[in-house]
Amino acid sequence: MDIQLTTIGASLVRSDERMLTGRNAAGRVWKTGFGGLDPLIGGGMRAGSLLLLAGPQGMGKSTFALQIARNNAATGRPVLYFSYEHDAEDISQKLLALEAGELDESDQVRMTNIRAIFDDLWVSSLERRLESVPAGVEALTRMERYADQLFVHRSTGSRTDLAAISQTIDSVRATTGTAPLVVVDYLQKVKSTQLDDESRSTEVVEGLKDLAIDIGAPVLAIAAADKTALRSGTRMRAADLRGSSALAYEADVVMVLNNKFDIVARHHLTYDLTNAERFKDWAVLTLEKNRFGRDGVVLQFRTRFDQGRYESEGVEVKEQLIDDRVFRE
């Protein structure tokens, strides 16, 4: 019998079994860990769903995705991070800065401090080196608690295709006994048999959506912006994703990050000049598409890129936003 074929009756039996054993909520939803966001997307990232995270260059898309990965690994759930641009040591440095930044009340932790510790020629253990960083040793302890749940795949555009992604997921599932949350950083880098951007992105996004359904876990993929959209000086929207219209069509949730300073209406700056600097430290996250709730909702999160993180509490934006950037390069 075709394993893809089932009946609604069988599906109801499986759902009933999950509910009776108490595995329903825990097994079907993965929290992002960002306050304000989870309730808007059905309680979190749902099993079988594909979520896209987009934004202009330098908006911290990888930082946001890695923080979601860490938040889930910290709860004991496996996470598989396909990294096309960073190796495992670089990701480890970012996680240490994130942890130390959250723990340190003196606000002195910097990503540059963590990198310097890794690069220093002084012969010593990592723990000993981290003694010079505020909350550094405690950050390492916190990170070690979930380190074995966060799998990093050093991916390349020349060999890591959908088949390789699927095989790696199977390997992690065999190791952990459960399907992992999958993060792809980033979608347009996934190797494809197609030659043009539109066909490539269609093949990849359809494949990632199929994978999410097959493994019964969410797939979170970072999506690049179209170059023309970045040059035009307009606020990035779902229509500006690089590739085909299939990106927004196939995804269940599309989130786009923009810098608040770029897209807030000018009168908020004109009448209070102190807002100009303050807005630069905030990212605006727009739910461009949301199959599990309201779309068009706009949240803001404070950025702490000096510590490799976002502050986790988000609130809806009250100021008027515009589609043309107030300030352009």
Side-chain angles (χ1 to χ4, degrees), residues 174-200:
T175 300
T176 63
T178 186
L181 164 66
V182 177
V183 180
V184 178
D185 184 8
Y186 61 94
L187 184 148
Q188 282 84 1
K189 281 272 192 176
V190 177
K191 182 183 178 183
S192 168
T193 58
Q194 305 299 317
L195 298 178
D196 62 281
D197 279 351
E198 185 169 338
S199 298
R200 284 169 56 89

PDB file of all heavy atoms in Angstrom, residues 174-200:
ATOM      1  N   ALA A 174      17.045   9.749  13.156  1.00  0.00           N
ATOM      2  CA  ALA A 174      17.490   8.442  13.635  1.00  0.00           C
ATOM      3  C   ALA A 174      18.299   8.578  14.925  1.00  0.00           C
ATOM      4  O   ALA A 174      18.230   7.728  15.818  1.00  0.00           O
ATOM      5  CB  ALA A 174      18.326   7.751  12.560  1.00  0.00           C
ATOM      6  N   THR A 175      19.048   9.662  15.034  1.00  0.00           N
ATOM      7  CA  THR A 175      19.880   9.893  16.216  1.00  0.00           C
ATOM      8  C   THR A 175      19.060  10.309  17.424  1.00  0.00           C
ATOM      9  O   THR A 175      19.301   9.850  18.554  1.00  0.00           O
ATOM     10  CB  THR A 175      20.934  10.983  15.923  1.00  0.00           C
ATOM     11  OG1 THR A 175      21.765  10.556  14.840  1.00  0.00           O
ATOM     12  CG2 THR A 175      21.797  11.264  17.147  1.00  0.00           C
ATOM     13  N   THR A 176      18.078  11.180  17.207  1.00  0.00           N
ATOM     14  CA  THR A 176      17.332  11.764  18.323  1.00  0.00           C
ATOM     15  C   THR A 176      16.004  11.068  18.592  1.00  0.00           C
ATOM     16  O   THR A 176      15.421  11.249  19.662  1.00  0.00           O
ATOM     17  CB  THR A 176      17.047  13.245  18.057  1.00  0.00           C
ATOM     18  OG1 THR A 176      16.199  13.369  16.893  1.00  0.00           O
ATOM     19  CG2 THR A 176      18.345  14.009  17.817  1.00  0.00           C
ATOM     20  N   GLY A 177      15.518  10.333  17.609  1.00  0.00           N
ATOM     21  CA  GLY A 177      14.235   9.659  17.773  1.00  0.00           C
ATOM     22  C   GLY A 177      13.031  10.503  17.452  1.00  0.00           C
ATOM     23  O   GLY A 177      11.889  10.067  17.623  1.00  0.00           O
ATOM     24  N   THR A 178      13.252  11.720  16.965  1.00  0.00           N
ATOM     25  CA  THR A 178      12.131  12.598  16.616  1.00  0.00           C
ATOM     26  C   THR A 178      12.544  13.541  15.497  1.00  0.00           C
ATOM     27  O   THR A 178      13.734  13.804  15.296  1.00  0.00           O
ATOM     28  CB  THR A 178      11.672  13.410  17.845  1.00  0.00           C
ATOM     29  OG1 THR A 178      10.498  14.143  17.521  1.00  0.00           O
ATOM     30  CG2 THR A 178      12.749  14.377  18.299  1.00  0.00           C
ATOM     31  N   ALA A 179      11.557  14.047  14.780  1.00  0.00           N
ATOM     32  CA  ALA A 179      11.847  14.957  13.670  1.00  0.00           C
ATOM     33  C   ALA A 179      12.301  16.311  14.210  1.00  0.00           C
ATOM     34  O   ALA A 179      11.712  16.840  15.157  1.00  0.00           O
ATOM     35  CB  ALA A 179      10.614  15.133  12.791  1.00  0.00           C
ATOM     36  N   PRO A 180      13.346  16.888  13.638  1.00  0.00           N
ATOM     37  CA  PRO A 180      13.840  18.173  14.128  1.00  0.00           C
ATOM     38  C   PRO A 180      13.121  19.357  13.485  1.00  0.00           C
ATOM     39  O   PRO A 180      12.552  19.239  12.397  1.00  0.00           O
ATOM     40  CB  PRO A 180      15.308  18.162  13.680  1.00  0.00           C
ATOM     41  CG  PRO A 180      15.268  17.397  12.381  1.00  0.00           C
ATOM     42  CD  PRO A 180      14.199  16.335  12.564  1.00  0.00           C
ATOM     43  N   LEU A 181      13.157  20.483  14.169  1.00  0.00           N
ATOM     44  CA  LEU A 181      12.862  21.749  13.517  1.00  0.00           C
ATOM     45  C   LEU A 181      13.976  21.987  12.513  1.00  0.00           C
ATOM     46  O   LEU A 181      15.161  21.844  12.840  1.00  0.00           O
ATOM     47  CB  LEU A 181      12.829  22.881  14.542  1.00  0.00           C
ATOM     48  CG  LEU A 181      12.907  24.312  13.988  1.00  0.00           C
ATOM     49  CD1 LEU A 181      11.663  24.651  13.174  1.00  0.00           C
ATOM     50  CD2 LEU A 181      13.105  25.312  15.133  1.00  0.00           C
ATOM     51  N   VAL A 182      13.631  22.337  11.277  1.00  0.00           N
ATOM     52  CA  VAL A 182      14.627  22.529  10.226  1.00  0.00           C
ATOM     53  C   VAL A 182      14.734  24.012   9.886  1.00  0.00           C
ATOM     54  O   VAL A 182      13.721  24.684   9.654  1.00  0.00           O
ATOM     55  CB  VAL A 182      14.256  21.728   8.959  1.00  0.00           C
ATOM     56  CG1 VAL A 182      15.252  21.999   7.838  1.00  0.00           C
ATOM     57  CG2 VAL A 182      14.210  20.238   9.275  1.00  0.00           C
ATOM     58  N   VAL A 183      15.958  24.529   9.882  1.00  0.00           N
ATOM     59  CA  VAL A 183      16.222  25.910   9.495  1.00  0.00           C
ATOM     60  C   VAL A 183      17.160  25.890   8.294  1.00  0.00           C
ATOM     61  O   VAL A 183      18.203  25.231   8.329  1.00  0.00           O
ATOM     62  CB  VAL A 183      16.856  26.717  10.647  1.00  0.00           C
ATOM     63  CG1 VAL A 183      17.106  28.156  10.207  1.00  0.00           C
ATOM     64  CG2 VAL A 183      15.978  26.673  11.892  1.00  0.00           C
ATOM     65  N   VAL A 184      16.788  26.606   7.240  1.00  0.00           N
ATOM     66  CA  VAL A 184      17.607  26.677   6.025  1.00  0.00           C
ATOM     67  C   VAL A 184      18.064  28.117   5.834  1.00  0.00           C
ATOM     68  O   VAL A 184      17.252  29.021   5.627  1.00  0.00           O
ATOM     69  CB  VAL A 184      16.816  26.209   4.784  1.00  0.00           C
ATOM     70  CG1 VAL A 184      17.677  26.331   3.525  1.00  0.00           C
ATOM     71  CG2 VAL A 184      16.327  24.776   4.968  1.00  0.00           C
ATOM     72  N   ASP A 185      19.360  28.334   5.892  1.00  0.00           N
ATOM     73  CA  ASP A 185      19.937  29.675   5.804  1.00  0.00           C
ATOM     74  C   ASP A 185      20.970  29.726   4.666  1.00  0.00           C
ATOM     75  O   ASP A 185      22.147  29.468   4.884  1.00  0.00           O
ATOM     76  CB  ASP A 185      20.595  30.024   7.143  1.00  0.00           C
ATOM     77  CG  ASP A 185      21.150  31.436   7.184  1.00  0.00           C
ATOM     78  OD1 ASP A 185      20.894  32.204   6.232  1.00  0.00           O
ATOM     79  OD2 ASP A 185      21.842  31.756   8.178  1.00  0.00           O
ATOM     80  N   TYR A 186      20.560  29.984   3.389  1.00  0.00           N
ATOM     81  CA  TYR A 186      19.245  30.461   3.059  1.00  0.00           C
ATOM     82  C   TYR A 186      18.729  29.792   1.795  1.00  0.00           C
ATOM     83  O   TYR A 186      19.479  29.087   1.119  1.00  0.00           O
ATOM     84  CB  TYR A 186      19.244  31.990   2.920  1.00  0.00           C
ATOM     85  CG  TYR A 186      20.151  32.570   1.838  1.00  0.00           C
ATOM     86  CD1 TYR A 186      19.670  32.854   0.567  1.00  0.00           C
ATOM     87  CD2 TYR A 186      21.485  32.877   2.114  1.00  0.00           C
ATOM     88  CE1 TYR A 186      20.481  33.419  -0.405  1.00  0.00           C
ATOM     89  CE2 TYR A 186      22.292  33.426   1.150  1.00  0.00           C
ATOM     90  CZ  TYR A 186      21.792  33.702  -0.119  1.00  0.00           C
ATOM     91  OH  TYR A 186      22.613  34.243  -1.073  1.00  0.00           O
ATOM     92  N   LEU A 187      17.445  29.999   1.483  1.00  0.00           N
ATOM     93  CA  LEU A 187      16.721  29.237   0.462  1.00  0.00           C
ATOM     94  C   LEU A 187      17.363  29.322  -0.922  1.00  0.00           C
ATOM     95  O   LEU A 187      17.482  28.313  -1.626  1.00  0.00           O
ATOM     96  CB  LEU A 187      15.274  29.736   0.423  1.00  0.00           C
ATOM     97  CG  LEU A 187      14.270  29.048  -0.497  1.00  0.00           C
ATOM     98  CD1 LEU A 187      12.878  29.100   0.131  1.00  0.00           C
ATOM     99  CD2 LEU A 187      14.214  29.695  -1.867  1.00  0.00           C
ATOM    100  N   GLN A 188      17.745  30.510  -1.337  1.00  0.00           N
ATOM    101  CA  GLN A 188      18.279  30.679  -2.692  1.00  0.00           C
ATOM    102  C   GLN A 188      19.648  30.036  -2.882  1.00  0.00           C
ATOM    103  O   GLN A 188      20.137  29.946  -4.009  1.00  0.00           O
ATOM    104  CB  GLN A 188      18.341  32.164  -3.065  1.00  0.00           C
ATOM    105  CG  GLN A 188      17.005  32.763  -3.452  1.00  0.00           C
ATOM    106  CD  GLN A 188      16.190  33.210  -2.255  1.00  0.00           C
ATOM    107  OE1 GLN A 188      16.638  33.081  -1.105  1.00  0.00           O
ATOM    108  NE2 GLN A 188      15.004  33.742  -2.496  1.00  0.00           N
ATOM    109  N   LYS A 189      20.272  29.587  -1.791  1.00  0.00           N
ATOM    110  CA  LYS A 189      21.567  28.915  -1.885  1.00  0.00           C
ATOM    111  C   LYS A 189      21.438  27.406  -2.063  1.00  0.00           C
ATOM    112  O   LYS A 189      22.421  26.726  -2.381  1.00  0.00           O
ATOM    113  CB  LYS A 189      22.385  29.198  -0.619  1.00  0.00           C
ATOM    114  CG  LYS A 189      23.054  30.566  -0.588  1.00  0.00           C
ATOM    115  CD  LYS A 189      24.413  30.502  -1.249  1.00  0.00           C
ATOM    116  CE  LYS A 189      25.219  31.756  -0.976  1.00  0.00           C
ATOM    117  NZ  LYS A 189      26.584  31.673  -1.524  1.00  0.00           N
ATOM    118  N   VAL A 190      20.250  26.855  -1.866  1.00  0.00           N
ATOM    119  CA  VAL A 190      20.062  25.413  -1.998  1.00  0.00           C
ATOM    120  C   VAL A 190      20.335  24.999  -3.438  1.00  0.00           C
ATOM    121  O   VAL A 190      19.816  25.598  -4.386  1.00  0.00           O
ATOM    122  CB  VAL A 190      18.630  25.002  -1.591  1.00  0.00           C
ATOM    123  CG1 VAL A 190      18.426  23.504  -1.794  1.00  0.00           C
ATOM    124  CG2 VAL A 190      18.355  25.384  -0.139  1.00  0.00           C
ATOM    125  N   LYS A 191      21.163  23.991  -3.609  1.00  0.00           N
ATOM    126  CA  LYS A 191      21.514  23.534  -4.955  1.00  0.00           C
ATOM    127  C   LYS A 191      20.272  23.053  -5.696  1.00  0.00           C
ATOM    128  O   LYS A 191      19.427  22.355  -5.136  1.00  0.00           O
ATOM    129  CB  LYS A 191      22.539  22.400  -4.879  1.00  0.00           C
ATOM    130  CG  LYS A 191      22.995  21.909  -6.250  1.00  0.00           C
ATOM    131  CD  LYS A 191      23.955  20.745  -6.120  1.00  0.00           C
ATOM    132  CE  LYS A 191      24.364  20.229  -7.496  1.00  0.00           C
ATOM    133  NZ  LYS A 191      25.247  19.047  -7.405  1.00  0.00           N
ATOM    134  N   SER A 192      20.180  23.443  -6.955  1.00  0.00           N
ATOM    135  CA  SER A 192      19.018  23.085  -7.768  1.00  0.00           C
ATOM    136  C   SER A 192      19.476  22.609  -9.140  1.00  0.00           C
ATOM    137  O   SER A 192      20.552  22.962  -9.617  1.00  0.00           O
ATOM    138  CB  SER A 192      18.087  24.294  -7.914  1.00  0.00           C
ATOM    139  OG  SER A 192      17.100  24.063  -8.903  1.00  0.00           O
ATOM    140  N   THR A 193      18.637  21.805  -9.774  1.00  0.00           N
ATOM    141  CA  THR A 193      18.935  21.345 -11.137  1.00  0.00           C
ATOM    142  C   THR A 193      18.523  22.379 -12.166  1.00  0.00           C
ATOM    143  O   THR A 193      18.880  22.261 -13.350  1.00  0.00           O
ATOM    144  CB  THR A 193      18.185  20.034 -11.425  1.00  0.00           C
ATOM    145  OG1 THR A 193      16.780  20.256 -11.261  1.00  0.00           O
ATOM    146  CG2 THR A 193      18.632  18.929 -10.478  1.00  0.00           C
ATOM    147  N   GLN A 194      17.776  23.380 -11.747  1.00  0.00           N
ATOM    148  CA  GLN A 194      17.289  24.409 -12.673  1.00  0.00           C
ATOM    149  C   GLN A 194      18.344  25.494 -12.883  1.00  0.00           C
ATOM    150  O   GLN A 194      19.199  25.716 -12.031  1.00  0.00           O
ATOM    151  CB  GLN A 194      15.999  25.034 -12.138  1.00  0.00           C
ATOM    152  CG  GLN A 194      14.902  24.026 -11.834  1.00  0.00           C
ATOM    153  CD  GLN A 194      14.474  23.254 -13.067  1.00  0.00           C
ATOM    154  OE1 GLN A 194      14.310  23.822 -14.142  1.00  0.00           O
ATOM    155  NE2 GLN A 194      14.299  21.943 -12.919  1.00  0.00           N
ATOM    156  N   LEU A 195      18.240  26.192 -13.995  1.00  0.00           N
ATOM    157  CA  LEU A 195      19.255  27.165 -14.366  1.00  0.00           C
ATOM    158  C   LEU A 195      18.873  28.603 -14.041  1.00  0.00           C
ATOM    159  O   LEU A 195      19.718  29.395 -13.623  1.00  0.00           O
ATOM    160  CB  LEU A 195      19.580  27.054 -15.864  1.00  0.00           C
ATOM    161  CG  LEU A 195      20.151  25.706 -16.321  1.00  0.00           C
ATOM    162  CD1 LEU A 195      20.394  25.712 -17.827  1.00  0.00           C
ATOM    163  CD2 LEU A 195      21.442  25.376 -15.567  1.00  0.00           C
ATOM    164  N   ASP A 196      17.612  28.978 -14.235  1.00  0.00           N
ATOM    165  CA  ASP A 196      17.222  30.360 -13.983  1.00  0.00           C
ATOM    166  C   ASP A 196      16.663  30.511 -12.567  1.00  0.00           C
ATOM    167  O   ASP A 196      16.186  29.549 -11.957  1.00  0.00           O
ATOM    168  CB  ASP A 196      16.182  30.830 -15.005  1.00  0.00           C
ATOM    169  CG  ASP A 196      14.905  30.008 -14.934  1.00  0.00           C
ATOM    170  OD1 ASP A 196      14.893  28.879 -15.472  1.00  0.00           O
ATOM    171  OD2 ASP A 196      13.930  30.485 -14.326  1.00  0.00           O
ATOM    172  N   ASP A 197      16.717  31.738 -12.044  1.00  0.00           N
ATOM    173  CA  ASP A 197      16.322  32.016 -10.659  1.00  0.00           C
ATOM    174  C   ASP A 197      14.884  31.608 -10.371  1.00  0.00           C
ATOM    175  O   ASP A 197      14.587  31.056  -9.311  1.00  0.00           O
ATOM    176  CB  ASP A 197      16.501  33.508 -10.348  1.00  0.00           C
ATOM    177  CG  ASP A 197      17.942  33.849 -10.013  1.00  0.00           C
ATOM    178  OD1 ASP A 197      18.746  32.922  -9.856  1.00  0.00           O
ATOM    179  OD2 ASP A 197      18.257  35.051  -9.920  1.00  0.00           O
ATOM    180  N   GLU A 198      13.981  31.881 -11.295  1.00  0.00           N
ATOM    181  CA  GLU A 198      12.572  31.598 -11.063  1.00  0.00           C
ATOM    182  C   GLU A 198      12.319  30.103 -10.919  1.00  0.00           C
ATOM    183  O   GLU A 198      11.642  29.661  -9.993  1.00  0.00           O
ATOM    184  CB  GLU A 198      11.719  32.178 -12.194  1.00  0.00           C
ATOM    185  CG  GLU A 198      10.229  32.010 -11.946  1.00  0.00           C
ATOM    186  CD  GLU A 198       9.383  32.802 -12.923  1.00  0.00           C
ATOM    187  OE1 GLU A 198       9.904  33.776 -13.503  1.00  0.00           O
ATOM    188  OE2 GLU A 198       8.211  32.440 -13.098  1.00  0.00           O
ATOM    189  N   SER A 199      12.895  29.329 -11.822  1.00  0.00           N
ATOM    190  CA  SER A 199      12.695  27.877 -11.772  1.00  0.00           C
ATOM    191  C   SER A 199      13.397  27.275 -10.559  1.00  0.00           C
ATOM    192  O   SER A 199      12.886  26.341  -9.927  1.00  0.00           O
ATOM    193  CB  SER A 199      13.219  27.223 -13.055  1.00  0.00           C
ATOM    194  OG  SER A 199      12.518  27.693 -14.180  1.00  0.00           O
ATOM    195  N   ARG A 200      14.575  27.803 -10.241  1.00  0.00           N
ATOM    196  CA  ARG A 200      15.317  27.307  -9.076  1.00  0.00           C
ATOM    197  C   ARG A 200      14.529  27.514  -7.800  1.00  0.00           C
ATOM    198  O   ARG A 200      14.360  26.599  -6.991  1.00  0.00           O
ATOM    199  CB  ARG A 200      16.663  28.037  -8.963  1.00  0.00           C
ATOM    200  CG  ARG A 200      17.715  27.589  -9.948  1.00  0.00           C
ATOM    201  CD  ARG A 200      18.903  28.556  -9.936  1.00  0.00           C
ATOM    202  NE  ARG A 200      19.457  28.687  -8.595  1.00  0.00           N
ATOM    203  CZ  ARG A 200      20.402  27.903  -8.098  1.00  0.00           C
ATOM    204  NH1 ARG A 200      20.886  26.924  -8.840  1.00  0.00           N
ATOM    205  NH2 ARG A 200      20.866  28.089  -6.886  1.00  0.00           N
TER     206      ARG A 200
END
